Structures are given as structure tokens and as C-alpha cells.
Amino acid sequence: MAKKVTPYKDSNLGKKEQVTQMFDTISKNYDGLNRVISFGIDIKWRKRVVAILKRKKPASILDIATGTGDLAIHMVETGADRIVGLDISPGMLEVGKKKVDEKELYNTIEMVVGDSENLPFEAHTFDAVTVAFGVRNFETLEKGLTEIHRVLKPKGTFVVLETAVPTKTPFKQGYNFHCKYVLPLVGRLFSKDRAAYTYLSESAAVFPHGENFNNILRKIGFIEVENKPQTFGVASIYVATKA
């Protein structure tokens, strides 16, 4: 990433600690705000991730930066026997655990506190690993991706859903307006943390999306790397395989 963006400009904490604090603060409002900010399109994107993995028939899935568990819950449709949702924010996981309990999915989905850059799993543990809107929050991107590569089984699938910046007019201008004005405004109106939604747009802007991210995945050792732009390029689904 060309520039390291953190949620709180005046904080002495590292990015990892700031991100944990931020998500703990906004956890209760996160799902509702997500639907408003993305106009509900994020649900469609998650379903496309599920469809990709459904064809792979994974028995075990690790969902990193699982947050409130939306993707992990959708992932039940793949038929996986074991789904682990991991997140650094206890506040987000608390919301996620309630959703898992309400849907009586506790025999399939396990929610655990953990650091994406120091995963508490043996090498070659999971058939698939997913990250939705989380890789841009890694303190050290390549370290987190290397850990993911380590815990994947050979021939395992890695799927990333992440925001991107459109390159074509008028979508680029519309996206910039949305990030600069709409996103922070919604965050101020509905969230206790004014800095959070400014950070989310800033971190998306500096993330090495598209072919730049593809090249980082290849550098880590992933093969069959593919980028699938979504909704005029405002997001991308990246699919890669461990050799």
C-alpha cells in the first residue's frame, strides 16, 4: 500500500489497535450503516463470493475479518462442515455471535477473536479462506496474505471481496463524491465514531486494487489469480489458488 492510513490521526496506537478500537465502537451500528452506504449492493457481492466457493465444495472455511458474521453465515450455503469466523474486534464478534445463535448455526460456525497477521491455526488447515472488506485494514498487507497462504491447504481457494476505485467516467466522479461527502456524513449522523467512516473511504482510496493487488498475490505464491470487478468497478472479487 502506497500510504498507511489510520482511523485516528492523533492517536499514538498502531494501526491494528486503532482498527480494533474503531470497529468495537461502531459494531452496534455497522450492519445498518453498511446497507445504507452501499445501497444494499454489498449483499449481492457476498452472494457472488458464496457462489464461487459453492462450486469448489470446501469442507472447511476460514472467514477473516468476519466482523458481524454476514459472509460466514452466507457461507453455510456452500455445504461446508466447519466455518470459522475470525476478527480482531470483540465488539463486532459479539454482534456476530448473536446472529449465529439466532439462526441456530453454532454447530457449523465458530466465531473467534484473532489477528489476521498471526493466525492461530496450523499450516494447511482450511480448504478455503475468505476476506470481505478486510484486507485494507491489515497493518502489514503482505504479512497477512502470507499467513492466509500458510493456513490454506494445497489447491485451496482464497477469495477477497474489497472496495475498488472506478476508472471510467462518470463512475469515477460519482464514487469520489460518495466517498468524500456522503460516506463521512452518514457516519457522523448515525455513528458514535465520526472518524470511522472517513477512514473507511480513505483506506479504500489507497488500497492497491486491480492488477496491483493481483501482483501482490502472485508474489506471495498464489496462482490462478483472477480479478472480477463489481458494479461499475466500485468493488472487486479476487480469486486465487494455493499451488
Side-chain angles (χ1 to χ4, degrees):
M1 199 176 292
K3 177 185 174 187
K4 182 173 280 191
V5 175
T6 57
Y8 309 109
K9 304 296 185 288
D10 299 326
S11 175
N12 293 321
L13 295 173
K15 180 174 179 177
K16 198 175 295 183
E17 290 77 15
Q18 289 189 43
V19 167
T20 304
Q21 179 184 333
M22 179 191 76
F23 280 114
D24 279 345
T25 303
I26 66 175
S27 57
K28 299 293 187 295
N29 300 312
Y30 182 77
D31 285 343
L33 280 168
N34 251 9
R35 299 299 96 85
V36 171
I37 288 166
S38 73
F39 307 109
I41 302 172
D42 62 303
I43 297 172
K44 183 185 292 185
W45 296 336
R46 286 185 175 89
K47 287 182 177 178
R48 287 175 181 167
V49 171
V50 173
I52 289 167
L53 281 182
K54 203 170 184 178
R55 295 192 290 269
K56 306 283 184 180
K57 297 182 170 59
S60 57
I61 302 173
L62 171 62
D63 182 41
I64 293 175
T66 195
T68 62
D70 273 358
L71 184 56
I73 289 167
H74 281 305
M75 215 66 74
V76 172
E77 296 171 28
T78 66
D81 301 318
R82 181 193 183 203
I83 300 169
V84 178
L86 178 140
D87 202 280
I88 202 169
S89 165
M92 295 285 274
L93 284 172
E94 185 181 333
V95 176
K97 285 177 181 176
K98 287 178 182 175
K99 287 155 73 171
V100 169
D101 288 345
E102 286 169 4
K103 294 178 181 294
E104 298 184 352
L105 295 172
Y106 33 75
N107 290 327
T108 304
I109 301 175
E110 176 189 4
M111 304 288 270
V112 299
V113 176
D115 179 358
S116 57
E117 295 170 40
N118 295 283
L119 295 172
F121 307 106
E122 298 290 328
H124 318 308
T125 297
F126 296 95
D127 296 303
V129 177
T130 56
V131 189
F133 307 114
V135 288
R136 72 176 186 270
N137 296 324
F138 289 3
E139 184 156 27
T140 308
L141 179 59
E142 290 191 14
K143 186 178 179 184
L145 295 175
T146 300
E147 273 290 271
I148 289 167
H149 189 273
R150 180 183 67 81
V151 302
L152 261 177
K153 292 179 182 177
K155 309 296 183 186
T157 305
F158 179 36
V159 185
V160 173
L161 169 59
E162 190 53 85
T163 53
V165 180
T167 56
K168 295 181 180 178
T169 302
F171 309 115
K172 182 178 181 179
Q173 288 77 6
Y175 176 86
N176 289 337
F177 179 85
H178 183 73
C179 286
K180 190 172 182 179
Y181 299 106
V182 178
L183 215 157
L185 175 62
V186 172
R188 281 198 299 273
L189 290 174
F190 298 101
S191 172
K192 292 186 292 182
D193 193 326
R194 294 186 176 194
Y197 286 86
T198 299
Y199 160 76
L200 291 174
S201 61
E202 288 178 350
S203 60
V206 301
F207 183 76
H209 59 276
E211 192 60 21
N212 290 328
F213 187 61
N214 290 347
N215 288 332
I216 294 172
L217 290 173
R218 294 183 185 110
K219 178 183 175 184
I220 298 300
F222 288 100
I223 61 172
E224 299 172 1
V225 177
E226 190 179 359
N227 172 24
K228 301 172 182 287
Q230 306 292 310
T231 317
F232 311 117
V234 301
S236 271
I237 295 174
Y238 302 89
V239 184
T241 303
K242 178 174 177 176

